[in-house]
Every structure is written in structure tokens, then in C-alpha cells.
Amino acid sequence: MTAWWRDAAIYQVYVRSFADGNGDGVGDLIGVRDRLPYLAELGVDAIWLTPFYTSPMADFGYDVADYRDVDPLFGSLADAKALIDEAHGHGLRVIVDVVPNHTSSAHPWFQQALRGEHRERYIFRDRPNDWESIFGGPAWTQVADGQWYLHLFDPAQPDLDWDNEEVRGEFESILRFWLDLGVDGFRVDVAHGMVKPRDLPDIGRGDQARMVGSEPVPFFDNDGVHEIHRAWRRVLDSYPGERIGVAEAWAPTAERLAMYVRPDELHQAFNFHYLFAPWDAATLREVIDSSLATAGSVGAPTTWVLSNHDVKRHVTRYGGGERGLRRARAAALLTLALPGSAYVYQGEELGLPEVLDLPDELCQDPQRLRDPDSGRDGCRVPLPWTRESGWHEPWLPIPAEWSELSVAAQQGVPGSTLELYRAALRLRRTIGGDLTWRDSPEGTLAFSRGPFVCTVNLTETPVDFGVEGELLLASDVPGAGDSAAWWKVKCGT
């Protein structure tokens, strides 16, 4: 058993914004295939593809109308099969999204439910409770005959009833369909959400979306989800090659999150506590320690992630501009040095910031209905491949200033963020062992893993870490403000 997933570097491909293979301005599976050599050269072990299934695109494909086919916007089922096979030829594993909490309102099942047929597959009630949608407004919509259906996200995303055996059987069949096609695993969207209490209790307060991940809420993280994940683990284990499940799970405590990665459940869970940690040494050390301890308590690896398609890019979160980029480069070396599995969101290897000035008429994210500042369009702007962008009329405009951040502008340029990532991902494969903290000045972090040492200065004042050894890689001058460095030292020093 290789347990490849325990220390893998996994690259998130947001398909519609990664690469356009047919020139229509929207990324597609042909575009991803064309760029597989880039991903292999970058040095990642696997790619995670966001949904490319048949969908009306009310929520960018997270509203699935057919789980066994590819939306024409992204290509065909043959394109998906060719992509999987070619990725394997490049030594890359392929993880795809599965969306089990809800379907599209265009799904044949929900169309039947609207006609009054088989409503038991969804959550219909004669009267709604006080639950709110994560996207804002009530979580209930009334249909023509007077009943209401639950949608914890957009009204076009009705929640399934996972107490229904037909629902459970259907999704095990969907998993097998894609496993038979050759995928290496699944990222499970809203893995904490499928099971709801039968009595659907009121919460008694508003602004419920902000409770998620910090306080218990009755519609998320119910114990019944673990029975589903155990069943899915049995499906995954029935296939050769260590196929994996990755939970997108929000839980109020690290201990609750660890339950999703017990030995008979999913393999990984995203570490959002690390993602949202501020650029502060004491906070980061506490999050790292608690993450390692809680995941380790169930024998699972920790995951580390700085950005994804749902949050502002970390260059911007860390202050933006040159300061934000310095911190992001240092954070990359910190993240890639930690034991466990690391996720890289497309474009972070280029140092891309959040795009904050998209015209309102171009923004399509339904989450903006709740709060315009929480819209996710700005982190989904297409990737710049050339100085001219490499796109023909992309679905979201690429800033002109990204010319100098493009792949073409950074490729082969010593010290560029792209080359920093390539070097770090290559060296990362030589790092092993547990993390041991080293003494370091206030406002900094330093740890060793065998002869490997990582030092991070999270202050703006230069410091001397006193490390004696070979400098392997640095985001800036070693010890400079907002910088990180990797060293090889003699054991015991």
C-alpha cells in the first residue's frame, strides 16, 4: 500500500477558468488535457476537477442535472475519459467533485417531484421552518400545490432526503460509474450536509450562514452523515489503486471535523481552520498543532490549503499588493513544508490576487445575493497563460496587469512565483518525518522534519534564525520580513 494521498500535492482545477480548448471563452476538459504537461512539470501529484456535469449552471455546475454525463459547455463523456487516461499517462491522479446534498431543479427526479411524483426523494413539507439559505433568504420555496421544498443553497438546488434508500443507492451507483471510468477519488461537496433531523427544528435566530463552522446548526454536521461516508468508503476500497474520498466539511470544532476521516470513513477533510488563520505566528502555530493532533488522533493526514474557488485569494487576504505577494510566497513555503497533503488552487502558483473591480453586470455568483462583498467571482477569473491572456473573450475579463503574472512571463524566470512553486513541489518530495518546533524569535516560526528545517518570519523586521546548513530555497532573502526559507542541516543541529 502506497498511501499516496497521505502526503500528496493536489492541484484544484476550476474547469471553466483554467484553459479554453475550443475558443468559446469558457474553460473546458479539452483545455485541461492540453495543459496536462504544465501540471506535470509543476510537480503536483493529482488534480481535482470542479463539476463538469450536465447543469443549468445556476451555481456554476454545483447544481447537477445529470451526474453521469458532461455538460456540452465543457465537452463530452469521451473528453472526460480521454482526460483521465492522459492524466494517468503523465503520472497525475484525477479527483472529481460529487455533489450529494442537492441536485439541480432541472434534474429529472425534481421535475417528477414538481408533478407530485416521488417527492420522498427530496425534503417537502406543508409548512416551512425558520432555516435560512447559505446564499441568503429563506431556505424554502413553495410549489404550485402549496407544499414547500428545502434548499440550503439556491432555490435551483433542492436538498435530497438521505433517509430515502433510493437516494443512497443512486449515489453509490454514481460513484461506481466514475470509478469504472478511472477516476482516483471524489471531493465530496457539502459532505457535512446530507442528513437533517426528522423534526427540522427551528433555530430561533437569523444570520444562520455565519454560524456554519463555528456553532452547531441543526442542518449541518449531524451524526447520520458518517453512516453514508462509511458506505462510500466500502465502495472506494472495493476498487484497486487506493481511490480516495475528500470531505468538504464544515464543523464547529476540530474534533468534529476529525470524525469525517476516521479509518473507515473518508481519507481527507479540508482544513478550513488553517485557510482562515491570519498572518500571525502564534495563531498559525496553534492551528498547525491542533490540526496535526486532531487528525492524528484518528490516524489521518492533515490537509493544508490557502485558497480555493469559494474564498478570496490569499494574496489579497494577506494585505494585497507587494506585501500580500511577499506573504503569499512565504505562506507557500510554510504550507508545502508541513506534514500531510497540500492543495494548490489554480493561479496561486502565479501569485494571482483577487479581482475586486469586476463590473456588476458580469458577476454571476448567487452568493452575492446575500452579501455583495462575499461574491466568489473575483477568485474565479480565468488563468492568464500568455502576456495577452491566452483566451478569446473569456467569460470574466482578465486584468491587463496580469500580463506580468502570466505563465509565459514567469516561466523559466529565476525567483518568479511560478519557479518558486516548481522548486518547492520538487523538493517537497524529499521531506519526511514528524514536525518538531525549534526555538525562534517572537513573531516567527521554525520547525524541523529530520534534517530539513523551515523558517518563517511573519514580521516586517529582518531576523537571524541562526540556522547553520545548506539553503535549499527561499521566498526572499532568508530572514527578511514576510519571508520563508528551507534549509538542510546536520541531524542534531
Side-chain angles (χ1 to χ4, degrees):
M1 180 175 289
T2 61
W4 66 271
W5 44 274
R6 298 190 71 88
D7 57 3
I10 300 173
Y11 186 97
Q12 181 188 355
V13 173
Y14 190 71
V15 176
R16 69 186 296 124
S17 297
F18 183 66
D20 182 6
N22 63 6
D24 67 354
V26 178
D28 48 41
L29 298 183
I30 296 174
V32 180
R33 279 178 62 195
D34 290 343
R35 298 296 180 174
L36 288 173
Y38 168 82
L39 295 169
E41 186 179 358
L42 184 61
V44 296
D45 302 296
I47 57 175
W48 151 33
L49 302 171
T50 53
F52 48 78
Y53 313 110
T54 306
S55 168
M57 303 294 162
D59 187 18
F60 297 98
Y62 282 95
D63 50 316
V64 181
D66 186 344
Y67 289 85
R68 295 179 179 85
D69 204 356
V70 174
D71 195 276
L73 186 68
F74 300 128
S76 66
L77 198 57
D79 292 327
K81 176 60 175 170
L83 169 56
I84 294 165
D85 292 344
E86 289 189 27
H88 290 163
H90 284 280
L92 298 167
R93 298 178 190 257
V94 179
I95 297 167
V96 299
D97 251 299
V98 65
V99 187
N101 179 71
H102 48 263
T103 70
S104 166
S105 57
H107 191 284
W109 277 11
F110 193 72
Q111 290 300 302
Q112 287 181 321
L114 291 179
R115 296 193 297 268
E117 305 167 12
H118 300 294
R119 284 192 176 175
E120 68 277 2
R121 297 164 175 161
Y122 295 90
I123 300 176
F124 278 83
R125 294 291 186 272
D126 292 330
R127 290 181 299 277
N129 63 10
D130 70 354
W131 291 1
E132 296 174 350
S133 164
I134 301 300
F135 289 166
W140 297 89
T141 291
Q142 194 170 30
V143 298
D145 63 10
Q147 278 205 313
W148 301 73
Y149 70 88
L150 178 70
H151 53 85
L152 290 177
F153 296 90
D154 192 84
Q157 295 168 292
D159 280 45
L160 289 159
D161 187 343
W162 274 83
D163 287 333
N164 182 279
E165 288 300 322
E166 187 180 5
V167 171
R168 297 189 180 221
E170 170 68 359
F171 272 87
E172 288 195 21
S173 175
I174 290 166
L175 296 185
R176 292 186 184 279
F177 176 87
W178 289 102
L179 290 166
D180 290 341
L181 211 64
V183 303
D184 299 284
F186 301 92
R187 178 265 192 184
V188 184
D189 184 62
V190 196
H192 53 292
M194 290 97 84
V195 173
K196 284 82 174 177
R198 287 184 177 274
D199 59 346
L200 301 181
D202 283 339
I203 294 175
R205 55 165 284 191
D207 205 17
Q208 295 165 12
R210 300 191 189 280
M211 299 169 65
V212 175
S214 59
E215 301 177 50
V217 289
F219 48 74
F220 282 159
D221 192 39
N222 288 288
D223 288 342
V225 299
H226 299 289
E227 178 187 343
I228 298 167
H229 298 319
R230 283 191 288 271
W232 286 17
R233 178 61 178 263
R234 290 192 292 272
V235 172
L236 292 166
D237 287 348
S238 71
Y239 283 78
E242 290 188 285
R243 318 294 179 97
I244 70 167
V246 182
E248 184 218 17
W250 292 85
T253 66
E255 291 74 20
R256 291 288 301 181
L257 184 63
M259 295 173 67
Y260 290 82
V261 289
R262 289 177 290 192
D264 61 345
E265 295 197 35
L266 301 179
H267 298 74
Q268 297 181 348
F270 288 123
N271 188 348
F272 295 118
H273 295 286
Y274 180 77
L275 186 153
F276 288 115
W279 188 244
D280 173 78
T283 304
L284 278 167
R285 178 165 175 166
E286 180 182 357
V287 170
I288 291 167
D289 280 340
S290 64
S291 299
L292 290 171
T294 51
S297 69
V298 293
T302 306
T303 64
W304 312 103
V305 58
L306 293 168
S307 285
N308 63 33
H309 67 293
D310 284 332
V311 300
K312 281 187 170 61
R313 288 186 176 273
H314 60 279
V315 168
T316 299
R317 297 202 319 272
Y318 288 157
E322 288 300 317
R323 180 177 67 172
L325 181 57
R326 285 198 311 272
R327 291 176 172 179
R329 286 164 57 90
L333 293 194
L334 167 62
T335 300
L336 295 174
L338 294 168
S341 181
Y343 282 77
V344 176
Y345 178 48
Q346 66 178 49
E348 73 173 74
E349 79 276 16
L350 304 177
L352 298 184
E354 185 83 358
V355 180
L356 300 172
D357 58 354
L358 289 169
D360 286 344
E361 63 270 18
L362 296 180
C363 294
Q364 304 172 39
D365 178 17
Q367 187 166 300
R368 294 179 74 249
L369 296 174
R370 184 187 72 192
D371 178 2
D373 292 334
S374 72
R376 301 165 295 178
D377 300 277
C379 63
R380 301 173 177 186
V381 172
L383 210 64
W385 290 100
T386 69
R387 292 180 183 273
E388 296 76 29
S389 86
W391 293 71
H392 175 68
E393 297 183 359
W395 71 281
L396 285 175
I398 300 174
E401 59 268 23
W402 280 16
S403 173
E404 295 306 310
L405 297 176
S406 65
V407 173
Q410 297 193 47
Q411 184 118 3
V413 177
S416 70
T417 302
L418 175 57
E419 295 303 331
L420 178 73
Y421 266 80
R422 284 178 172 169
L425 287 163
R426 182 181 66 251
L427 286 169
R428 184 177 184 272
R429 291 176 171 160
T430 68
I431 304 170
D434 295 332
L435 181 150
T436 301
W437 292 107
R438 297 166 62 102
D439 292 336
S440 67
E442 185 177 355
T444 71
L445 297 172
F447 60 86
S448 60
R449 296 179 62 194
F452 170 85
V453 172
C454 176
T455 58
V456 190
N457 181 6
L458 294 96
T459 75
E460 297 182 3
T461 304
V463 299
D464 181 3
F465 285 94
V467 178
E468 295 183 3
E470 176 189 359
L471 178 64
L472 300 175
L473 188 63
S475 67
D476 202 333
V477 175
D482 294 322
S483 73
W486 289 2
W487 312 78
K488 184 178 181 180
V489 301
K490 293 182 179 179
C491 288
T493 63

